[in-house]
Amino acid sequence: MKRLLTLFTALVVFFGQSHAADKPNVIFILADDLGIGNLSCYGSDNYKTPHIDKLAAEGTRFTQCFTAALCGPSRAMIMTGRYAFRNGSSNQDACTVMPNKELQLGRVFQSAGYKTSSIGKWGQLPGEPDEAGFDDYLRFNGSGVYRNKKEGKSEEYLVNSKEMKLGDDEYMPDLMHEHMMKFIKKHKDASFFVYYPMSSVHGDLLPTPDSASGSTDLMADNITYMDKLVGKLVSELEALKLRDNTLIIFMGDNGTGKGQSERATIGGKALSGMKGTMLECGGLVPMIANWPGKTPAGKVSADLIDSTDFLATFAELTGGTLPKDTIFDGHSIAPQLRGEPGTPREWVYNQLAAMWYVRDAKWKLNEKNELFDMSDAPFTEKLVAGDHPARTKLAAVLAKLDPAGGIPDSGDGTGRHANKDKKKKVEESMKKPEAPSTTTMSAEDAERAAKFDKLDEDKLGKLTRDYYTTHQSDAAAAGNRFDKYDTDKDGFVSRDEYITKGKVTK
């Protein structure tokens, strides 16, 4: 009997360890304004990042990870697993008025029994982290918070709803690291998730604690200090004996900022695009995954990824749940993180304001129907004229997505600022309840119903041709869509016609 009990105990321990190993702790590090040209493991000419390079050397480095070209829309993709035309996050200001229910990242971990913490930048998202699935948080206002910038005026931040002021001798990146380690130590015997959106390396750049007096290269100083903090995190996880069961994701939130882009070269060559642009390196970002014993060491993957994929990936890895009545755009890369082939994407989609593109491994097609040969990316993008099989293929993807039929952009066209009149209308429409439906709808139909209700500001139950086309970014194509939807040819598109894309039967 004693031997049987010993065997039973050993089996319980074994299967418990096996289960824990398959449900890792997760730390998602999101660097701010850090492009591929800022990391030495991606070939940067001017910056050295030995600790991040080590993560890549001992894990997998992805070369085709895309996200939105500005921080708010990028974070919205990560948090929601949905494209901007679905959640309304096509510009910075619109991100702050997204419905709170869109923010699923913390919630998916909570649903799997994880303890969750958000530490860093949050102001481009609605509400507070504790309203979006995070048990613990430290958040500062704005971007690029390092030290107090003005004499007699302290930077303010929140720790679990408590208002705090940065001391004159305090450095925000260090406070964030200390808060993170306190959270990890508290929950080291449980499963935990840390969302870690860093200050670094968003401007206005200030000297780090390690900067030499009179340093003239604050970008290099800040990248070096950021890299140091990543190394410090790894060392402390090792000391706590947590490293082997912790998946670390390191990613940039968009491309390099304008003021630093000229020095973000690779192999002596300038990159195409920067933060805020729809060129390649506006949205192409570094992404490294390191999970000891699971993620292949030293692998470089060219699998296409966009930042909606993280939510689906984490749901699969943890067993967490997502709402069943919502369309999610992500494709799980959990197999690739475990060293398996998986089913890589055939294309990625990217959007900022009313600009968008769909891109596969070789070609890119934008909202203007411009086709680009991407064989020399990330350095050049070659415009291709005339008919081409790639144009037909990617146009079919855009037609299926139908971004122009989604929530219209409420901004000034740049993705940075609101058009105040449009923003007010979007905010008002988001507050109004959806019209009731007399039938049980699919998730796709329910989403189109919500889009119609947002367009139908006067609640007439129908849209005129002029109204519909002027509320779309592509008036000519919108006119064709209107004619298709208007099946009874009465000059209006009804709610049912819109929902079914003209397939309604009377």
Side-chain angles (χ1 to χ4, degrees):
M1 177 64 71
K2 185 175 181 180
R3 290 180 63 188
L4 286 174
L5 287 173
T6 301
L7 177 61
F8 176 76
T9 301
L11 288 171
V12 169
V13 171
F14 172 79
F15 284 111
Q17 289 175 339
S18 176
H19 177 70
D22 289 332
K23 286 185 63 172
N25 304 312
V26 179
I27 301 176
F28 190 108
I29 306 172
L30 190 65
D32 203 341
D33 288 4
L34 188 87
I36 61 171
N38 301 128
L39 294 180
S40 45
C41 58
Y42 280 83
S44 172
D45 295 321
N46 296 307
Y47 306 104
K48 300 300 180 186
T49 49
H51 297 292
I52 296 169
D53 294 356
K54 186 178 180 183
L55 276 184
E58 296 177 353
T60 298
R61 179 169 66 87
F62 293 85
T63 63
Q64 297 293 301
C65 179
F66 292 83
T67 189
L70 287 175
C71 60
S74 174
R75 288 154 207 264
M77 289 177 72
I78 293 168
M79 283 281 163
T80 70
R82 284 155 55 82
Y83 293 138
F85 64 86
R86 299 194 199 280
N87 59 34
S89 65
S90 55
N91 67 75
Q92 298 277 55
D93 293 297
C95 295
T96 65
V97 295
M98 276 193 306
N100 178 271
K101 67 180 182 179
E102 289 280 1
L103 305 181
Q104 291 294 328
L105 186 65
R107 293 180 174 122
V108 75
F109 280 96
Q110 281 188 334
S111 73
Y114 280 63
K115 296 298 182 180
T116 58
S117 181
S118 174
I119 302 168
K121 180 173 174 176
W122 183 269
Q124 291 71 23
L125 296 168
E128 299 294 345
D130 60 347
E131 300 169 325
F134 291 97
D135 304 309
D136 167 83
Y137 72 91
L138 181 157
R139 63 95 95 204
F140 54 78
N141 296 315
S143 301
V145 174
Y146 303 101
R147 299 182 185 277
N148 289 331
K149 298 175 184 177
K150 296 181 180 179
E151 186 175 351
K153 181 174 175 57
S154 298
E155 291 281 355
E156 297 179 350
Y157 62 102
L158 291 178
V159 176
N160 298 323
S161 301
K162 183 179 179 180
E163 295 182 1
M164 308 286 285
K165 291 188 177 182
L166 193 63
D168 288 339
D169 59 346
E170 291 183 314
Y171 187 59
M172 179 58 77
D174 285 345
L175 290 183
M176 291 163 58
H177 179 87
E178 291 164 9
H179 185 98
M180 174 170 54
M181 293 315 304
K182 182 178 179 181
F183 171 83
I184 289 173
K185 289 173 183 177
K186 181 178 179 180
H187 299 291
K188 64 184 179 66
D189 296 324
S191 296
F192 61 80
F193 168 60
V194 177
Y195 170 60
Y196 183 24
M198 306 180 89
S199 300
S200 308
V201 287
H202 195 290
D204 296 327
L205 295 171
L206 297 175
T208 76
D210 293 348
S211 292
S213 178
S215 174
T216 59
D217 195 346
L218 292 181
M219 183 65 166
D221 289 354
N222 278 265
I223 287 176
T224 297
Y225 202 87
M226 174 195 69
D227 181 71
K228 174 183 173 179
L229 287 175
V230 171
K232 187 176 181 181
L233 167 62
V234 172
S235 295
E236 294 188 34
L237 290 173
E238 290 172 347
L240 293 169
K241 301 189 184 306
L242 294 171
R243 184 67 192 93
D244 287 347
N245 192 37
T246 300
L247 166 63
I248 296 177
I249 301 287
F250 180 91
M251 178 184 166
D253 73 334
N254 47 241
T256 307
K258 183 178 180 180
Q260 306 295 337
S261 62
E262 287 187 5
R263 295 192 68 228
T265 59
I266 293 176
K269 299 169 68 175
L271 301 176
S272 175
M274 67 190 80
K275 173 183 177 179
T277 74
M278 294 300 283
L279 295 171
E280 182 79 341
C281 290
L284 176 66
V285 293
M287 202 283 269
I288 296 162
N290 186 300
W291 183 7
K294 294 286 186 178
T295 304
K299 183 174 181 179
V300 178
S301 173
D303 287 357
L304 289 168
I305 298 169
D306 74 34
S307 57
T308 62
D309 294 341
F310 292 107
L311 188 65
T313 300
F314 295 144
E316 180 175 340
L317 286 176
T318 65
T321 57
L322 292 168
K324 294 181 179 180
D325 59 349
T326 302
I327 295 174
F328 292 100
D329 294 298
H331 294 215
S332 173
I333 60 168
Q336 290 95 313
L337 298 185
R338 292 190 294 255
E340 302 161 6
T343 307
R345 280 177 168 271
E346 294 184 6
W347 51 265
V348 293
Y349 172 81
N350 213 341
Q351 180 175 352
L352 188 63
M355 303 173 285
W356 54 74
Y357 65 77
V358 63
R359 187 201 193 289
D360 66 15
K362 297 180 180 179
W363 308 93
K364 179 168 86 173
L365 185 72
N366 66 17
E367 81 285 353
K368 299 176 183 177
N369 199 35
E370 294 174 330
L371 180 68
F372 295 88
D373 175 357
M374 304 300 289
S375 59
D376 191 40
F379 306 108
T380 60
E381 308 178 36
K382 304 168 187 174
L383 185 63
V384 178
D387 295 334
H388 193 283
R391 187 188 302 277
T392 302
K393 175 187 173 184
L394 296 180
V397 173
L398 280 179
K400 185 174 181 179
L401 286 173
D402 189 22
I407 298 173
D409 179 57
S410 60
D412 62 1
T414 68
R416 294 179 181 274
H417 308 294
N419 175 309
K420 292 182 180 178
D421 291 337
K422 285 185 178 180
K423 182 184 177 185
K424 183 178 180 181
K425 290 178 181 178
V426 169
E427 288 175 336
E428 289 174 351
S429 69
M430 286 182 170
K431 293 177 183 177
K432 294 175 183 176
E434 296 177 6
S437 172
T438 57
T439 60
T440 301
M441 290 184 178
S442 67
E444 182 176 1
D445 286 351
E447 186 152 323
R448 287 192 62 79
K451 290 176 183 176
F452 179 91
D453 295 338
K454 288 181 174 65
L455 281 170
D456 183 21
E457 296 171 359
D458 295 328
K459 302 305 173 193
L460 300 175
K462 58 186 179 179
L463 307 173
T464 67
R465 195 175 197 279
D466 285 347
Y467 181 91
Y468 177 76
T469 55
T470 56
H471 283 71
Q472 305 296 308
S473 61
D474 54 345
N480 292 333
R481 285 197 303 277
F482 183 95
D483 295 339
K484 175 185 173 183
Y485 297 168
D486 182 18
T487 53
D488 60 6
K489 304 305 176 188
D490 65 349
F492 298 95
V493 165
S494 69
R495 191 172 188 264
D496 286 344
E497 287 173 330
Y498 182 88
I499 292 169
T500 62
K501 300 182 181 180
K503 297 177 182 177
V504 64
T505 55
K506 299 291 185 181

